[in-house]
Amino acid sequence: MGTLNLTLKIWRQDGLNKPGGFKNYKVDGLNTHMSFLEMLDVLNEQLVNEDSEPVAFDHDCREGICGMCSMVIDGRPHGLLDGTTTCQLHMRFFNDGDTITIEPWRAKPFPIIKDLIVDRTPLDRIIQAGGYVSINTGSAPDGNVIPISKEISEDAFDAAACIGCGACVAACKNASASLFTAAKISQLALLPQGQAERKERVIGMVQQMDKEGFGHCTNTEACEAECPQGISVEYIRKMNWEYHCANIKG
Amino acid sequence: MSILNSKIPEGQLSEKWSNYKSTVPLVSPGNKRRLEIIVIGTGLAGASASSSLAEMGYNVKTFCFQDSPRRAHSIAAQGGINAAKNYQNDGDSVFRLFYDTIKGGDYRSREANVHRLAEVSSNIIDQCVAQGVPFAREYGGTLDNRSFGGVQVSRTFYARGQTGQQLLLGAYSALSRQIAKGSVTMYNRHEMLDIVKIDGKARGVIVRNLLTGEYERHFGHAVVLATGGYGNVFYLSTNAMASNTTAIWKAYKKGAMFGNPSFTQIHPTCIPVSGDYQSKLTLMSESLRNDGRIWVPKKQGDDRRAEDIPEDERDYYLERRYPAFGNLVPRDVASRAAKERCDEGYGVGSTKLAVYLDFKDAIKRLGQDVVSARYGNLFEMYEKITGEDPYKSPMRIYPAVHYTMGGLWVDYNLMTTVQGLYAIGECNYSDHGANRLGASALMQGLADGYFVLPYTIGEYLSKDIRTPAISTDHEAFEIAENEARDQNTRLLNNNGSKSVESFHRDLGAIMWENCGMARNKPNLTSAISEIQSLKKEFWEKVRVPGRDDNLNPELEKAGRVADFIELGELMVRDALDRSESCGGHFREESQTEEGEALRDDENFKFTSAWEYKGDDVKPVRNKEELQFEAVELTQRSYK
Ligand SMILES: Cc1cc2nc3c(=O)[nH]c(=O)nc-3n(C[C@H](O)[C@H](O)[C@H](O)COP(=O)(O)OP(=O)(O)OC[C@H]3O[C@@H](n4cnc5c(N)ncnc54)[C@H](O)[C@@H]3O)c2cc1C
Ligand code: FES
């Protein structure tokens, strides 16, 4: 077990529309088994003990599934490891003496609320624009009435695995939410349950995405590379196809 | 002592719920539109209740403290959800699921509620499939099942190792649909800080907007708490960091009795603690015990690598002690057995507080591909955290706090002892008795939210249709808001010297040592005074930086830890009061010769329901005697 002494260069911003900037902090004697967020816990306890305000960051499950944690670490959303959220990143991947730069997601539709925390409610509104099957409680048929092949169901699952963290938006030079939106559209377009509302869904969700100010997809595929769930850009192609079909058929 | 009315309907156990449903008073559509319901929480319980109530025509206001309802802690559930579908044709039935749950809970739950849970379990699967939840399927296209601890049938539905995520996203999508329609008003990043009671009835809540620090008053004809479990009272647990007790604790202080507060589930398969910086513990799903074998070396203090220890020098202690269930014994039994081995000096790893969970035989029998298809993401998670590859060497695991069976006491209608205040999901005490079976929390959360509360709340609201909305200028709102404000002001002005985190850690250590896997009278007695001094120290020395008028995570945490400290004391009191062992509650004074939990049905066949009597005043323990008509009480055996 090694120990690390680090310099952290962290974005500090007191509130929405307030000016922000980087501040440097030193943290010493860190254990390499720690997670990245535990390292920030150490910094924060240090700050509290010095009577200054700790760094605000979003986090909850610390298991890579809630999608709450959201930091750009040394220029990459969720840091240097592929397929990993910030909370699942461990300090054994850093070296003693490193300087680590930590910033919030940077994208116009995600204004910075404080320090490393941004507002991701536009993603909720995209789902509200059609990311569901309209089925009231109590009216469902038996679960085995519609067989769904293992292949289709696995494909739908791959899309459904999105944790809604927004790393795709943060990674995209256009701040596009295409991967997020496409994942939900594809999940429901693949499944028989999603067929009845297939057209309205894709139109509603794509329009909402535009309304929220997300940019257009120009196929740089940075989103897939940074997605902690490894969601494939193939779904974006599927979304585009769905969108065109929906519009053609009126 | 108050008399608790559990309101169990008359009639045969198997007919109670259907009779109830056909006779419960209804609220007409026109009246529903005039009624407002507040739901706190958007986990499986809260999201399913909010959407179902809104679909029925009620006006719903829903709150959560995360930035999106989709991030409630339910998202982290891995293994699966039970339902008595009998798709595998292995003899499952509503009665069997009911029986397994009662027995698994060591006969400390209410028969009528558990039977209802088993009855509606099938509808949950149907509902979720219809929403597009991608459950695992067989090649023929039908739904697949796996088995879980404590049962001998395969009734667990799953979606890879992300069942909670997929179920919650299903409920969240239903909720999103109602938000879009305007029938649910959603408040993200809002924390409920108190219940408002008027004329003995719950009539609203005080919430703090976590972004702006503003205090808000909200009126409701009824208030539903769906705020999850309080396992974080132990500091380290598998719960999400922000999971807390504040909502139900404040409700307790307003008159809602607390049921079985000490009943805690310690999950046997978690990644062990590795250092004192640790902020949380990670669960390795129980489903792993389907194919993994648990063992320790036969020799004490054996320092060889697992791979170097030959077969005949390994002690597969669960298979040895419990041949009938082997590695699939219920959680409480598996956890205690691991603790017993480690306490005796057979533990492995650097801290010696770990046992092996080995997939070598499974890989040999099924091939790496099959094992990886079943558990791939869990193996990956293990490797991410520990840096070790479980395909090559066995996982090291140790029990950790996972779930709280205790919670607000509720009657058959899921109403607390405060009129119009309901508790659903993990925050109520119902259904799981003294030990919860795997894959049953998701079932209960969704049963409560989709299929039970939407009916039972009508019983109360049908009598309330003439109550107009009460103005939030009412003095009860004023008083509650001032109390919430004052507490935060006091915290911020305290000028102390110790961080909130350090108090939380200290509380956790007291709880784990004295009120964890093994409990006894002397330790519990001294824990009460330790917690009382911790409380005093907290209010003298805690240091909370920042302000009240903007986002201040330290302030949020401080309020939660203050409530955890008080709850900790109540848990210890309950554990002390119940001198029998049952399920996860193991009193060292009450065990069989073989070291198994020994129940005392003559004296403890009841649910404790604690009543708040004032700050620093001893609470009163009331009880609901449990009646068993359909099952015969036996000493639980998994041998
Ligand atoms: C790691 C892990 C794995 C699990 N795996 C399984 C499994 O495989 N099968 C199974 O059956 N069970 C499992 N469980 C248990 C199960 O996940 C939980 O019991 C269940 O999801 C709880 O759901 P809930 O709706 O009651 O609460 P939660 O999902 O915890 O939701 C609580 C909600 O309340 C809100 N809230 C709380 N307090 C306040 C407040 N004061 N103000 C405003 N909002 C508030 C939160 O924001 C959140 O939205 C697992 C648990 C863990 C920890
Ligand atoms: S904290 Fe939940 S995904 Fe990182």
Side-chain angles (χ1 to χ4, degrees):
Chain A
M1 182 166 65
T3 53
L4 302 173
N5 303 317
L6 300 174
T7 305
L8 304 173
K9 198 175 149 198
I10 303 180
W11 184 264
R12 302 299 309 255
Q13 180 169 331
D14 194 39
L16 202 66
N17 302 322
K18 298 261 174 73
F22 284 105
K23 268 188 93 165
N24 284 352
Y25 301 92
K26 281 208 167 313
V27 271
D28 292 338
L30 299 164
N31 179 316
T32 49
H33 283 310
M34 279 181 184
S35 70
F36 196 83
L37 297 185
E38 284 167 346
M39 182 274 292
L40 287 178
D41 292 341
V42 171
L43 170 70
N44 275 348
E45 197 155 358
Q46 195 172 304
L47 290 174
V48 173
N49 288 334
E50 292 165 4
D51 219 9
S52 25
E53 246 197 274
V55 179
F57 60 91
D58 266 332
H59 66 110
D60 200 14
C61 73
R62 298 204 173 186
E63 291 190 4
I65 194 75
C66 73
M68 195 98 179
C69 61
S70 41
M71 298 176 195
V72 176
I73 302 165
D74 288 336
R76 287 189 64 182
H78 292 308
L80 76 166
L81 285 192
D82 286 345
T84 305
T85 53
T86 304
C87 60
Q88 293 289 79
L89 177 63
H90 281 69
M91 295 314 292
R92 61 176 180 276
F93 297 102
F94 295 88
N95 299 312
D96 190 31
D98 278 357
T99 297
I100 306 174
T101 307
I102 310 172
E103 300 166 80
W105 281 177
R106 301 231 188 240
K108 237 218 215 104
F110 290 166
I112 298 173
I113 294 173
K114 187 171 182 175
D115 298 341
L116 303 173
I117 298 184
V118 300
D119 178 4
R120 286 174 286 187
T121 47
L123 299 182
D124 281 332
R125 288 191 291 271
I126 292 177
I127 299 295
Q128 287 156 20
Y132 46 76
V133 173
S134 297
I135 171 100
N136 281 357
T137 301
S139 50
D142 184 88
N144 259 349
V145 160
I146 326 161
I148 300 173
S149 79
K150 204 176 169 74
E151 201 188 337
I152 297 271
S153 128
E154 293 287 313
D155 196 1
F157 190 103
D158 287 340
C162 168
I163 61 173
C165 64
C168 47
V169 178
C172 177
K173 64 180 169 45
N174 309 319
S176 166
S178 289
L179 191 63
F180 170 84
T181 311
K184 186 50 73 182
I185 288 171
S186 302
Q187 175 202 343
L188 296 176
L190 280 160
L191 294 171
Q193 298 91 310
Q195 297 315 308
E197 297 163 291
R198 192 167 172 173
K199 266 194 333 207
E200 305 87 87
R201 176 176 307 114
V202 66
I203 293 175
M205 290 178 75
V206 168
Q207 284 176 351
Q208 187 65 33
M209 182 169 75
D210 293 343
K211 212 152 85 188
E212 297 287 349
F214 290 104
H216 286 275
C217 170
T218 49
N219 299 313
T220 52
E221 304 189 0
C223 51
E224 179 182 316
E226 299 299 357
C227 173
Q229 296 290 80
I231 294 184
S232 162
V233 289
E234 282 304 317
Y235 294 122
I236 299 184
R237 294 192 241 292
K238 184 162 176 59
M239 169 174 77
N240 292 339
W241 189 78
E242 293 280 326
Y243 188 70
H244 291 305
C245 290
N247 280 321
I248 290 163
K249 289 177 198 152
Chain B
M1 213 153 63
S2 318
I3 304 211
L4 293 163
N5 182 358
S6 52
K7 302 214 178 125
I8 301 171
E10 295 296 314
Q12 285 275 317
L13 183 62
S14 58
E15 288 160 13
K16 285 183 197 290
W17 179 234
S18 43
N19 290 345
Y20 176 101
K21 278 197 296 185
S22 38
T23 54
V24 68
L26 299 176
V27 182
S28 73
N31 284 329
K32 280 189 189 131
R33 274 196 297 277
R34 294 198 281 126
L35 293 171
E36 295 185 58
I37 303 177
I38 288 174
V39 179
I40 310 291
T42 58
L44 288 179
S48 59
S50 300
S51 58
S52 304
L53 291 167
E55 286 164 11
M56 292 163 82
Y58 293 107
N59 288 303
V60 182
K61 282 184 175 181
T62 302
F63 298 82
C64 73
F65 56 66
Q66 288 92 348
D67 71 329
S68 160
R70 66 180 288 155
R71 305 201 205 282
H73 169 58
S74 294
I75 200 95
Q78 302 170 349
I81 176 166
N82 289 329
K85 281 282 196 190
N86 193 31
Y87 282 160
Q88 305 305 322
N89 196 23
D90 54 4
D92 201 7
S93 64
V94 167
F95 185 82
R96 201 178 286 277
L97 173 54
F98 154 76
Y99 178 80
D100 287 342
T101 309
I102 291 273
K103 176 186 173 200
D106 220 358
Y107 309 96
R108 290 293 174 263
S109 41
R110 195 189 285 149
E111 274 191 343
N113 285 52
V114 177
H115 200 277
R116 174 177 66 191
L117 174 66
E119 282 174 61
V120 303
S121 65
S122 280
N123 306 27
I124 298 172
I125 302 305
D126 302 339
Q127 185 65 31
C128 297
V129 169
Q131 291 168 343
V133 169
F135 282 117
R137 299 211 169 233
E138 309 265 17
Y139 281 101
T142 53
L143 292 158
D144 190 18
N145 292 111
R146 53 166 58 144
S147 50
F148 251 51
V151 302
Q152 290 167 315
V153 292
S154 260
R155 64 160 75 101
T156 305
F157 294 78
Y158 65 101
R160 294 194 196 151
Q162 285 150 250
T163 315
Q165 182 202 23
Q166 294 308 319
L167 295 176
L168 184 61
L169 292 181
Y172 160 80
S173 73
L175 175 64
S176 297
R177 178 174 159 236
Q178 297 305 317
I179 296 172
K181 283 188 172 168
S183 43
V184 172
T185 312
M186 183 68 224
Y187 297 83
N188 304 335
R189 294 204 201 259
H190 277 66
E191 180 156 31
M192 186 207 105
L193 296 178
D194 210 352
I195 300 279
V196 177
K197 248 170 87 175
I198 297 174
D199 298 332
K201 294 179 172 172
R203 289 301 189 190
V205 290
I206 302 298
V207 298
R208 182 169 173 269
N209 178 333
L210 300 180
L211 293 180
T212 61
E214 279 162 295
Y215 294 79
E216 299 173 6
R217 305 170 180 188
H218 293 272
F219 163 81
H221 288 88
V223 176
V224 180
L225 301 182
T227 53
Y230 52 85
N232 277 344
V233 66
F234 289 86
Y235 185 66
L236 287 183
S237 86
T238 62
N239 289 8
M241 300 298 288
S243 298
N244 72 83
T245 189
T246 292
I248 60 170
W249 191 251
K250 296 296 201 257
Y252 164 72
K253 288 183 147 186
K254 284 269 156 95
M257 288 187 210
F258 210 117
N260 298 331
S262 70
F263 285 2
T264 310
Q265 177 159 84
I266 316 259
H267 195 291
T269 53
C270 302
I271 301 182
V273 177
S274 63
D276 52 15
Y277 53 80
Q278 193 128 359
S279 60
K280 77 156 284 168
L281 294 170
T282 303
L283 175 80
M284 288 284 106
S285 167
E286 168 164 287
S287 58
L288 292 169
R289 286 200 275 142
N290 269 312
D291 290 305
R293 298 179 70 196
I294 294 180
W295 63 277
V296 290
K298 281 188 179 160
K299 207 169 77 196
Q300 280 165 326
D302 194 331
D303 279 332
R304 285 176 293 176
R305 293 188 319 160
E307 302 88 298
D308 298 337
I309 300 179
E311 205 47 44
D312 61 347
E313 291 178 41
R314 300 174 173 200
D315 177 14
Y316 294 91
Y317 58 87
L318 287 178
E319 297 168 29
R320 168 171 61 76
R321 281 177 70 174
Y322 308 101
F325 281 71
N327 292 296
L328 286 175
V329 289
R331 294 177 173 175
D332 54 332
V333 176
S335 291
R336 268 197 301 279
K339 176 174 160 43
E340 188 273 337
R341 282 293 81 187
C342 294
D343 287 352
E344 293 300 312
Y346 297 93
V348 300
S350 59
T351 59
K352 300 289 175 206
L353 284 176
V355 300
Y356 289 125
L357 175 61
D358 201 336
F359 290 87
K360 193 181 60 167
D361 292 343
I363 292 169
K364 217 184 296 168
R365 178 165 46 93
L366 304 163
Q368 181 152 334
D369 288 351
V370 175
V371 170
S372 141
R374 283 187 193 166
Y375 311 110
N377 66 323
L378 296 170
F379 278 40
E380 248 175 59
M381 189 186 311
Y382 183 85
E383 188 171 0
K384 269 186 193 156
I385 293 173
T386 63
E388 291 164 21
D389 178 1
Y391 291 105
K392 297 204 178 94
S393 48
M395 290 182 180
R396 272 178 289 112
I397 52 155
Y398 197 67
V401 173
H402 176 59
Y403 181 87
T404 46
M405 283 76 71
L408 294 183
W409 182 91
V410 288
D411 63 17
Y412 189 75
N413 295 327
L414 304 179
M415 197 197 278
T416 67
T417 50
V418 172
Q419 290 287 300
L421 179 66
Y422 292 80
I424 59 175
E426 189 174 342
C427 76
N428 73 24
Y429 89 102
S430 75
D431 298 357
H432 307 295
N435 172 58
R436 173 174 72 77
L437 290 180
S440 284
L442 302 183
M443 169 173 73
Q444 182 224 331
L446 291 179
D448 288 0
Y450 283 133
F451 296 108
V452 179
L453 179 87
Y455 281 99
T456 60
I457 204 167
E459 208 239 1
Y460 174 77
L461 290 176
S462 62
K463 296 177 208 124
D464 217 31
I465 44 180
R466 274 178 246 290
T467 309
I470 298 173
S471 159
T472 53
D473 293 333
H474 190 285
E475 73 164 325
F477 279 96
E478 176 97 30
I479 295 171
E481 182 188 319
N482 286 340
E483 280 174 11
R485 255 179 214 284
D486 290 349
Q487 170 167 323
N488 280 342
T489 312
R490 187 172 163 202
L491 286 166
L492 285 164
N493 294 342
N494 207 37
N495 282 327
S497 54
K498 279 182 73 176
S499 69
V500 175
E501 199 71 12
S502 67
F503 283 102
H504 197 182
R505 261 197 296 264
D506 290 350
L507 174 68
I510 301 174
M511 295 302 293
W512 181 243
E513 271 311 305
N514 305 295
C515 201
M517 267 188 286
R519 305 161 169 188
N520 62 52
K521 190 171 174 187
N523 286 358
L524 289 165
T525 313
S526 67
I528 293 182
S529 45
E530 283 179 55
I531 295 173
Q532 287 170 343
S533 16
L534 188 72
K535 180 175 167 186
K536 197 158 158 275
E537 196 193 342
F538 177 87
W539 287 105
E540 282 165 5
K541 297 211 183 123
V542 74
R543 186 213 302 260
V544 184
R547 311 192 309 262
D548 194 12
D549 64 352
N550 75 349
L551 183 69
N552 187 344
E554 279 295 303
L555 180 62
E556 295 162 26
K557 205 160 62 180
R560 293 168 190 164
V561 171
D563 293 334
F564 273 137
I565 295 176
E566 296 184 0
L567 165 71
E569 183 183 331
L570 185 71
M571 291 171 71
V572 172
R573 283 192 188 282
D574 185 52
L576 183 62
D577 183 69
R578 190 177 284 275
S579 58
E580 66 161 350
S581 292
C582 60
H585 170 66
F586 189 69
R587 280 290 296 264
E588 287 170 343
E589 299 91 333
S590 180
Q591 48 182 309
T592 65
E593 271 169 25
E594 292 135 333
E596 305 294 341
L598 184 62
R599 271 196 343 262
D600 174 359
D601 292 331
E602 205 175 314
N603 295 304
F604 291 99
K605 194 162 60 52
F606 64 78
T607 297
S608 63
W610 292 83
E611 189 177 348
Y612 177 73
K613 288 289 176 188
D615 257 347
D616 301 317
V617 178
K618 215 172 140 191
V620 169
R621 197 261 290 120
N622 303 290
K623 47 182 173 174
E624 177 195 343
E625 288 290 348
L626 297 168
Q627 315 291 342
F628 292 94
E629 288 162 20
V631 303
E632 200 186 323
L633 273 66
T634 53
Q635 196 64 33
R636 232 169 26 143
S637 168
Y638 292 93
K639 290 193 188 264

